[in-house]
């Protein structure tokens, strides 16, 4: 089973997605997600110009060998562009292997360890009443675990909070793919104040617990904005509200920062959506500094390394909480779901839900019932790509916002 062709597909049904489609000489196709939000065309070029020519005539069955060839063979290792490109190849080859076997991918990964993957959705509100409405709307949609983010008094807008009615919040719970209104397309800039955030957030959790009780798993994302001591303080302040996790408290590069947070709080910690290699986790896992691994299949080199990473985490009793925002395509989402089904140390799966337009291009078979996601038993990863619909949504330049402090200093996020 040789690779006959590999196509790099770029489309923008609501937001930009990069997909690799590999076709074998016996006509089996496989899909892989290569979307890197705000830097999409860099990955498309990496694939088109440097990877696709190497794939033609390779044995499609040799997934591990192809992964090592692309990773070690390039000399230049890691990095989000490289790893998103390798992820797309790896995922597409797993899709092909599972289709050839006539099985859903999770069967090849060892079979189901559970009936479905507990998913969390994103509730948000510009203020507390709007947030409470958004939580209610998510419960009505069937979510059994919910991330909460709110506006902060004194700040105009906060990333992760829907700009329009949060209770509706159907399409995106926020707009990371904002189009600029200026002639030159530049990122939107937001103003941030960590002290105001730290003062406000415990009150938000107080209000949500008062309204919805102690049972509902609640999560929160700090978007890498705190110093270690600020994060330690927040973790302590949130202990009475029994969070499922506090995510990305400090900037991702600094693994040692988590030591300080850990010494001060029992609030569970999650990190890793901007990581792209197991080497980003060695201190975190080896010293048990986190509770959940947040990586995405799409940004960590695919199904092959993600399985290894989760097995490494399992040695330390650390569980998965794979990244699943709408800037990961339905292909990347489905790949995550197969892993969620198979690994023993599953924790939770992020599930924001794609826009209807996105799902016209990417036809999914995964289901969401009673708060649990299931990848379906369709052979492969269970997603198809509609070229005709995709062609009606050409690429549109878009950036994630940039974050500044009140004095204009560029800040982490
Ligand atoms: C967020 C992401 O889902 C999350 O936890 O942090 O939406 C993240 O901001 C985007 O994926 C960035 O592309
Ligand atoms: Mg996050």
């Amino acid at each position: 089973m040789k690779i006959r062709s590999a196509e790099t597909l770029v489309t923008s049904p609501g937001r930009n997605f990069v997909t690799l489609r590999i076709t074998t000489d016996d006509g089996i196709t496989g899909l892989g997600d290569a979307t890197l939000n705000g830097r999409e065309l860099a990955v498309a070029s990496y694939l088109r110009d440097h990877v696709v020519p190497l794939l033609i005539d390779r044995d499609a069955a040799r997934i591990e060998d192809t992964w090592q060839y692309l990773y070690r063979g390039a000399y230049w290792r890691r990095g989000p562009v490289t790893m998103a490109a390798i992820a797309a190849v790896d995922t597409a080859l797993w899709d092909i292997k599972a289709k050839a076997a006539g099985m859903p991918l999770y069967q090849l990964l060892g079979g189901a360890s559970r009936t479905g993957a507990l998913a969390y959705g994103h509730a948000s509100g510009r203020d507390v009443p709007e947030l409470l409405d958004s939580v209610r709307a998510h419960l009505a949609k069937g979510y059994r675990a919910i991330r909460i983010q709110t506006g902060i008094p004194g700040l105009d807008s906060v990333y992760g909070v829907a700009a329009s009615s949060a209770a509706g919040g159907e399409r995106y719970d926020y707009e990371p793919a904002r189009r600029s209104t200026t002639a030159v397309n530049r990122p939107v800039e937001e103003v941030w104040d960590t002290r105001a955030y730290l003062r406000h957030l415990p009150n938000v959790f107080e209000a949500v617990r008062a309204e919805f009780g102690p049972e509902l798993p609640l999560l929160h994302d700090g978007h890498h904005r705190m110093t270690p001591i600020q994060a330690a303080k927040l973790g302590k302040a949130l202990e009475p509200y029994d969070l499922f996790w506090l995510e990305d408290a400090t900037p991702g590069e600094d693994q040692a920062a988590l030591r300080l947070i850990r010494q001060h709080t029992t609030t569970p910690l999650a990190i890793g959506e901007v990581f792209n290699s197991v080497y980003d986790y060695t201190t975190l896992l080896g010293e048990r500094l986190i509770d959940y691994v947040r990586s995405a299949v799409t940004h960590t080199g695919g199904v092959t390394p993600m399985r290894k990473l989760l097995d490494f985490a399992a040695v330390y009793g650390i569980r998965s909480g794979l990244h699943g925002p709408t800037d990961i395509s339905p292909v990347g989402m489905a790949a995550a779901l197969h892993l969620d089904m198979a690994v023993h140390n599953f924790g939770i799966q992020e599930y924001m839900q794609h826009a209807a337009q996105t799902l016209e291009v990417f036809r999914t078979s995964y289901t969401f019932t009673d708060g649990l996601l299931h990848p379906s038993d369709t052979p492969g990863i269970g997603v198809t790509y509609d070229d005709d619909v995709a062609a009606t949504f050409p690429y549109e330049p878009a950036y994630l916002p940039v974050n500044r402090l009140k004095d204009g200093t560029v800040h982490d996020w």
Side-chain angles (χ1 to χ4, degrees):
M1 194 168 56
K2 285 191 171 171
I3 296 174
R4 188 176 67 205
S5 65
E7 302 151 274
T8 306
L9 311 166
V10 180
T11 182
S12 189
R15 61 183 314 147
N16 294 317
F17 295 105
V18 179
T19 309
L20 184 72
R21 177 169 54 208
I22 295 180
T23 305
T24 64
D25 52 10
D26 48 5
I28 302 180
T29 59
L31 296 175
D33 179 26
T35 308
L36 186 62
N37 197 5
R39 296 291 185 273
E40 297 86 359
L41 298 187
V43 189
S45 159
Y46 192 104
L47 282 168
R48 259 189 217 121
D49 300 330
H50 304 290
V51 172
V52 165
L54 307 178
L55 296 178
I56 309 306
D57 288 339
R58 285 185 73 82
D59 182 351
R62 295 181 62 178
I63 300 177
E64 178 74 28
D65 181 67
T66 301
W67 196 92
Q68 300 296 345
Y69 180 77
L70 294 175
Y71 180 78
R72 290 176 203 278
Y75 185 68
W76 309 109
R77 298 185 184 186
R78 307 166 62 181
V81 174
T82 297
M83 299 309 275
I86 298 178
V89 177
D90 184 80
T91 306
L93 293 181
W94 275 110
D95 193 16
I96 288 168
K97 194 180 277 291
K99 281 181 183 168
M103 292 180 188
L105 174 57
Y106 73 84
Q107 291 292 2
L108 298 191
L109 300 175
S113 289
R114 54 196 51 80
T115 52
L118 175 69
Y120 75 89
H122 289 200
S124 72
R126 285 166 295 187
D127 54 24
V128 169
E130 218 178 66
L131 171 66
L132 298 181
D133 283 349
S134 177
V135 173
R136 270 181 221 109
H138 279 77
L139 291 172
K141 278 197 216 167
Y143 281 103
R144 288 201 218 143
I146 300 183
R147 187 187 95 160
I148 59 174
Q149 309 288 132
T150 52
I152 296 163
L155 299 183
D156 286 347
S157 65
V158 174
Y159 184 76
V161 176
S164 54
S165 168
E170 300 293 354
R171 191 158 170 225
Y172 302 126
D173 64 345
Y174 54 91
E175 296 128 84
R178 284 172 227 217
R179 271 71 170 159
S180 170
T181 48
T182 55
V184 181
N185 186 34
R186 292 215 174 88
V188 168
E189 300 202 350
E190 293 179 345
V191 176
W192 177 249
D193 179 347
T194 310
R195 291 184 66 237
Y197 162 74
L198 294 177
R199 281 195 303 276
H200 185 59
L201 200 62
N203 305 329
V204 173
F205 273 90
E206 175 75 36
V208 173
R209 280 288 178 225
E211 182 76 13
F212 299 99
E215 195 59 34
L216 180 65
L218 294 177
L219 303 85
H220 178 73
D221 193 344
H223 279 295
H224 311 109
R225 293 173 183 208
M226 288 168 270
T227 63
I229 202 70
Q230 287 171 333
K233 186 176 170 182
L234 181 66
K236 259 170 106 163
L238 294 179
E239 279 172 18
Y241 310 112
D242 189 25
L243 269 63
F244 186 96
W245 79 34
L246 171 62
E247 174 188 344
D248 289 347
T250 45
E253 306 92 318
D254 187 0
Q255 295 186 48
L258 277 290
R259 284 193 191 118
L260 189 142
I261 307 172
R262 203 59 155 176
Q263 281 161 12
H264 290 281
T265 180
T266 56
T267 292
L269 302 173
I271 199 164
E273 69 179 48
V274 300
F275 294 1
N276 46 69
S277 162
V278 64
Y279 296 103
D280 296 324
Y281 282 102
T282 45
T283 304
L284 297 176
L285 299 182
E287 296 184 27
R288 301 172 201 266
L289 300 181
I290 56 170
D291 301 279
Y292 296 93
V293 162
R294 280 288 286 148
S295 283
V297 173
T298 306
H299 302 137
T300 311
V303 173
T304 300
M306 183 60 84
R307 176 63 195 250
K308 294 176 188 178
L309 168 57
L310 294 180
D311 287 346
F312 176 29
V315 171
Y316 298 96
I318 295 166
R319 295 191 286 156
S320 69
L322 301 188
H323 197 207
T326 51
D327 52 280
I328 282 175
S329 87
V331 175
M333 182 73 203
L337 293 182
H338 287 278
L339 278 162
D340 292 341
M341 285 299 282
V343 297
H344 178 255
N345 57 329
F346 169 76
I348 201 164
Q349 173 63 53
E350 182 180 21
Y351 179 48
M352 276 177 69
Q353 302 201 9
H354 290 98
Q357 279 178 327
T358 304
L359 297 173
E360 284 168 28
V361 173
F362 298 91
R363 304 283 165 88
T364 57
S365 51
Y366 52 76
T367 55
F368 180 54
T369 316
D370 295 333
L372 303 184
L373 283 160
H374 191 286
S376 94
D377 283 323
T378 307
I381 61 170
V383 181
T384 60
Y385 186 89
D386 188 319
D387 288 277
D388 294 333
V389 182
T392 65
F393 297 112
Y395 169 77
E396 286 183 50
Y399 291 101
L400 280 155
V402 167
N403 198 30
R404 288 187 189 272
L405 300 180
K406 282 186 165 168
D407 69 358
T409 309
V410 173
H411 192 59
D412 303 288
W413 76 275

